Amino acid sequence: MKKTNKKQGKTLSLFEKLDAHFDRRHRLYMILILLTATVFSILMFDPKINMMGDESDYILYGYKFAKNFEFPPHRGPLYSIFLSPFIIIFGINITMMKILSVILIIASIFFLYKAFYKRVPTTILYACLLLLCINGSFLFYSSVVLSEPLFLLFQSLLIYLFCSFFIGEQQDISFRKKTGHFFIISIVILLLTLTRTVGYASIGIIVVYFLFFKQWKNALLSVTTSVVVFGVFGLMKKLIWPASGSAYNFKMFFTKDMYHPDKGMEDLGGIITRVFENINNFLSRYVAEFLGLKSNILTSSVFLTIVLALLFLWGGIVAYRNNKPLFFTALHTLGFCLANFVVLHATWMQERIIILYYPLILIVIYTGFYYLLKPRRNIQFLFIVLFGIVFFGMLNRTMVKVKANSVTLKMALKGNTLYSLTPDWQNYILMSKWAAKNIPKNEQIAVRKSGTSTIYTGRDFYSIYAVPTIPKDSLKNWKPGPGKTAIVIDLSSKNPTFLSPSLKYVTRGELKMVGKDAHVNGIYEINMADIAQLSAILEQNELTYTLDYDKYLKDLLNEESAIIHFPEAMLNRLKDANVRYMILASLRLNPNQNTGSVINTLHNYVSILNLKYPDLVIEKYSVGDVEPSVLIELNY
């Protein structure tokens, strides 16, 4: 016998039956969804950190905040601060930090449920939550030490609180209580902003929402409380951390090329082009993959972009007509996406930018389908068909990821947390651990990736990110001493070590000397009386040289690629920092392949020092036969 609505005597539609079913068992389904998300998060758990990404920075700044109360200079400082108490309790424990990410992701799903339960049809809510908790791309972020899980939690909390305070039953409350609600919302926006700078968009989105419904006082109050909350925080930050400053120069986002600001600022046409490129790339690549419409992100499609954009806009329009919480969600999602699309260069296309809004995009699109089919009772089953196709396709892709991660997880449970790393990184981390244990604490160890070394050892390392140079104009003011002259020798193939004490400067670049290529050269200061004998020795050893220093200097100053090193100052820099040891690693330039090309910053530093101090370096220890890491001691 068919179920009927006793009051109206009508047969219940499929949607009505589903909504009633989920309403009766909402707690059970919510528990099952959270358990499913937890199980898949565990199955996809990866114990390593991303060596080339931001994870080590977040951890390192959290460590410094815990140790020295330094305000993190990194973008999204709140996440590092959030990590700091756990670092105090557990030390730099990567597994613990990743477990925190699992908890944050599960909490974000829970607050999505809290935000929408009894505010939207439960069929929409549980369909979307179930798709969310089996999505491998989304659950990947439950196994990272990045700010995304914390942002997702604050985003869900903001929607939940906004819907609770300003949409629904509590309209006739006192001004004092309403102001308190606005202050709570402003504090959550501040937390969101400190996690990801795009959080500032929340203020404008909330104002636009109130203006849509002609709630002028609420719009004004939301701006006022935000100004107060952000002003108080800014004042406190300046008093407690006066030198903290900002991690961003917002002007740089609107340059044509952020890495080459000399190319000038982007004009309005360029910004519009950037927005459309970002919309096309993010929607047709990442969002389409998240929604199960394609299996890869390698290609973009204008057709897919148009389809997804129309589906989202339709969902937003339907929500405006039928459901204010869903309309606020659509407005929030649109505002945040557009904010990202305006400031981000199209070349910065990354999954982690759009994954933050995937849960909300999912809800808005399914809202459109639900309300489109709601009056069409005979074809409401199409909602189930669409859900089933997406569910099983997404589950299949997630299971592939689970299978691929199974060996890594198994090895991690056995204690080998470095198993999935490439040999170059394995050797680097093992060398960092050996050095941290065997080198006295009062001696500094210089490395290229200090964050990674500190994370895996709990010891501070000295960072060298670049080989120090001096301005080319510095050589204009240098003249040989009385009775001395300058000679420039090509050091590309040989190093005349007997002249090392006389070496003053090392130059590198697309240079020439007496008509020959000379890419690495030494500028020496020698006695004029020794020129004849020295010239004979250099010619005998087939070393290219010139005594016409003025011409060489002129060519050097005119060569854009030329750089100058001052070995004496480079060594003094290490002495002043108490650096006696360095780790020369073989970290790949191409992280996916051993091409023989490595990140050679420290190698170049040492090679320049060796030109002046040939007896400086002593090899102490080595790890790895292939792509090794070598610890050297500086014998000064």
Side-chain angles (χ1 to χ4, degrees):
M1 183 179 290
K2 294 183 178 180
K3 292 185 179 180
T4 60
N5 186 313
K6 292 181 180 180
K7 290 184 179 181
Q8 299 178 359
K10 294 182 179 179
T11 302
L12 294 176
S13 70
L14 177 61
F15 283 175
E16 289 170 333
K17 292 176 184 177
L18 287 173
D19 288 339
H21 173 80
F22 287 127
D23 282 334
R24 287 195 301 271
R25 298 171 176 83
H26 67 94
R27 288 189 180 88
L28 173 62
Y29 281 109
M30 193 60 237
I31 291 171
L32 289 175
I33 283 170
L34 294 179
L35 284 175
T36 302
T38 303
V39 169
F40 276 111
S41 294
I42 293 171
L43 292 175
M44 294 183 63
F45 192 83
D46 186 350
K48 73 176 185 300
I49 61 171
N50 186 339
M51 299 303 170
M52 306 303 285
D54 290 337
E55 287 184 285
S56 59
D57 288 335
Y58 281 117
I59 297 171
L60 186 60
Y61 290 131
Y63 170 75
K64 290 181 177 179
F65 185 85
K67 185 178 179 182
N68 304 319
F69 202 54
E70 294 180 19
F71 192 85
H74 199 266
R75 50 208 176 278
L78 184 60
Y79 182 60
S80 293
I81 294 172
F82 170 79
L83 293 176
S84 62
F86 300 97
I87 293 174
I88 292 172
I89 298 170
F90 301 103
I92 299 179
N93 187 318
I94 298 170
T95 300
M96 174 57 65
M97 294 177 191
K98 292 194 173 230
I99 290 173
L100 288 175
S101 294
V102 174
I103 295 171
L104 291 172
I105 288 289
I106 301 303
S108 74
I109 296 174
F110 175 74
F111 274 104
L112 272 182
Y113 159 76
K114 292 288 290 182
F116 294 119
Y117 180 65
K118 291 187 177 179
R119 296 189 175 94
V120 304
T122 47
T123 299
I124 297 175
L125 177 59
Y126 284 112
C128 293
L129 290 182
L130 185 56
L131 291 178
L132 192 62
C133 75
I134 64 162
N135 189 306
S137 297
F138 178 76
L139 294 177
F140 166 80
Y141 290 88
S142 64
S143 187
V144 297
V145 188
L146 295 170
S147 63
E148 278 74 12
L150 187 62
F151 184 94
L152 284 163
L153 174 58
F154 286 143
Q155 178 175 251
S156 298
L157 183 62
L158 176 66
I159 295 172
Y160 166 61
L161 291 174
F162 187 86
C163 292
S164 300
F165 291 158
F166 305 116
I167 303 176
E169 305 78 22
Q170 301 186 44
Q171 297 301 311
D172 299 325
I173 61 174
S174 67
F175 177 78
R176 180 178 179 181
K177 189 171 184 179
K178 179 181 282 191
T179 303
H181 288 167
F182 272 109
F183 271 111
I184 293 172
I185 291 292
S186 295
I187 290 170
V188 175
I189 293 175
L190 174 64
L191 297 177
L192 201 64
T193 302
L194 291 173
T195 307
R196 294 287 288 265
T197 310
V198 73
Y200 282 109
S202 295
I203 301 172
I205 290 165
I206 289 173
V207 169
V208 170
Y209 173 85
F210 286 133
L211 294 180
F212 255 104
F213 297 102
K214 299 180 180 180
Q215 298 177 21
W216 319 114
K217 291 181 180 179
N218 282 349
L220 179 61
L221 199 54
S222 66
V223 173
T224 303
T225 53
S226 294
V227 169
V228 171
V229 168
F230 278 78
V232 170
F233 170 76
L235 180 61
M236 291 175 59
K237 181 184 173 187
K238 192 165 185 177
L239 291 174
I240 300 172
W241 299 285
S244 58
S246 172
Y248 286 103
N249 178 1
F250 283 98
K251 184 179 178 181
M252 298 298 290
F253 287 110
F254 297 99
T255 57
K256 292 182 179 180
D257 186 336
M258 192 168 184
Y259 300 106
H260 298 91
D262 55 296
K263 293 183 179 180
M265 304 300 292
E266 195 67 87
D267 57 19
L268 180 60
I271 294 295
I272 293 173
T273 300
R274 175 194 297 182
V275 170
F276 279 102
E277 287 179 352
N278 279 329
I279 290 173
N280 185 44
N281 284 327
F282 281 109
L283 263 63
S284 67
R285 295 191 186 200
Y286 293 114
V287 175
E289 195 272 337
F290 298 158
L291 294 173
L293 300 179
K294 59 188 297 187
S295 59
N296 65 73
I297 60 168
L298 299 179
T299 57
S300 60
S301 164
V302 174
F303 173 75
L304 263 179
T305 297
I306 293 172
V307 169
L308 289 172
L310 290 175
L311 287 174
F312 181 86
L313 291 175
W314 167 250
I317 293 169
V318 167
Y320 176 71
R321 294 172 178 172
N322 297 276
N323 192 298
K324 288 184 178 180
L326 285 173
F327 175 65
F328 175 73
T329 302
L331 205 60
H332 171 98
T333 309
L334 181 63
F336 269 74
C337 286
L338 286 178
N340 278 291
F341 296 161
V342 168
V343 301
L344 295 177
H345 291 69
T347 55
W348 290 359
M349 187 177 56
Q350 294 181 26
E351 176 191 273
R352 56 186 292 199
I353 292 169
I354 199 69
I355 196 69
L356 299 170
Y357 318 113
Y358 161 66
L360 309 182
I361 293 172
L362 190 66
I363 289 172
V364 172
I365 287 179
Y366 270 82
T367 294
F369 276 116
Y370 180 92
Y371 282 103
L372 179 66
L373 298 175
K374 187 175 182 180
R376 298 166 175 82
R377 298 162 64 95
N378 293 333
I379 59 172
Q380 287 180 0
F381 70 92
L382 292 177
F383 187 95
I384 307 299
V385 173
L386 173 66
F387 171 82
I389 293 172
V390 174
F391 175 84
F392 287 108
M394 197 173 290
L395 182 62
N396 180 63
R397 280 197 286 271
T398 300
M399 291 306 298
V400 170
K401 294 179 180 180
V402 167
K403 184 178 180 180
N405 189 60
S406 60
V407 177
T408 297
L409 184 59
K410 187 182 298 183
M411 296 302 293
L413 293 173
K414 292 181 180 180
N416 186 358
T417 57
L418 305 183
Y419 171 79
S420 60
L421 294 175
T422 52
D424 56 327
W425 279 108
Q426 289 185 11
N427 294 333
Y428 177 72
I429 292 169
L430 291 173
M431 173 56 81
S432 297
K433 289 183 175 183
W434 189 92
K437 182 179 179 181
N438 292 278
I439 301 303
K441 298 291 185 184
N442 62 330
E443 301 281 8
Q444 282 277 26
I445 307 168
V447 295
R448 179 61 179 83
K449 298 287 185 178
S450 62
T452 301
S453 298
T454 298
I455 287 164
Y456 278 97
T457 66
R459 171 171 171 163
D460 287 332
F461 285 74
Y462 182 80
S463 299
I464 295 181
Y465 297 115
V467 182
T469 61
I470 62 173
K472 287 192 288 187
D473 286 347
S474 301
L475 290 188
K476 289 182 179 179
N477 302 320
W478 177 77
K479 298 294 181 184
K484 295 181 180 291
T485 189
I487 185 171
V488 186
I489 303 175
D490 177 15
L491 304 178
S492 302
S493 58
K494 297 180 183 178
N495 176 24
T497 54
F498 68 95
L499 281 177
S500 293
S502 302
L503 179 65
K504 301 298 292 184
Y505 302 99
V506 175
T507 66
R508 292 193 295 160
E510 299 299 319
L511 301 167
K512 288 186 177 294
M513 189 186 305
V514 294
K516 299 178 181 178
D517 289 337
H519 299 319
V520 180
N521 306 302
I523 300 175
Y524 296 83
E525 183 183 45
I526 62 169
N527 294 320
M528 295 183 68
D530 297 331
I531 289 178
Q533 182 181 5
L534 177 59
S535 297
I537 295 174
L538 295 177
E539 290 170 4
Q540 183 180 353
N541 286 275
E542 299 181 340
L543 281 163
T544 302
Y545 70 95
T546 180
L547 292 167
D548 192 349
Y549 174 69
D550 290 337
K551 181 181 184 307
Y552 179 82
L553 178 59
K554 181 180 178 181
D555 294 341
L556 177 71
L557 296 175
N558 290 330
E559 174 53 53
E560 291 185 5
S561 69
I563 55 176
I564 304 169
H565 305 287
F566 187 17
E568 184 178 345
M570 290 169 59
L571 182 61
N572 287 336
R573 180 177 177 177
L574 297 179
K575 288 180 178 180
D576 292 342
N578 196 33
V579 173
R580 189 171 288 276
Y581 297 90
M582 303 175 79
I583 294 178
L584 306 183
S586 303
L587 302 177
R588 301 174 182 178
L589 272 179
N590 179 353
N592 300 315
Q593 187 178 0
N594 179 13
T595 63
S597 297
V598 301
I599 302 173
N600 58 5
T601 308
L602 269 70
H603 301 76
N604 287 338
Y605 201 121
V606 170
S607 67
I608 292 167
L609 290 179
N610 271 332
L611 294 175
K612 184 171 178 64
Y613 309 102
D615 299 321
L616 179 69
V617 174
I618 302 172
E619 183 175 327
K620 293 288 291 185
Y621 192 71
S622 179
V623 173
D625 296 324
V626 178
E627 300 179 286
S629 283
V630 179
L631 179 74
I632 63 169
E633 181 180 359
L634 303 178
N635 182 30
Y636 55 73

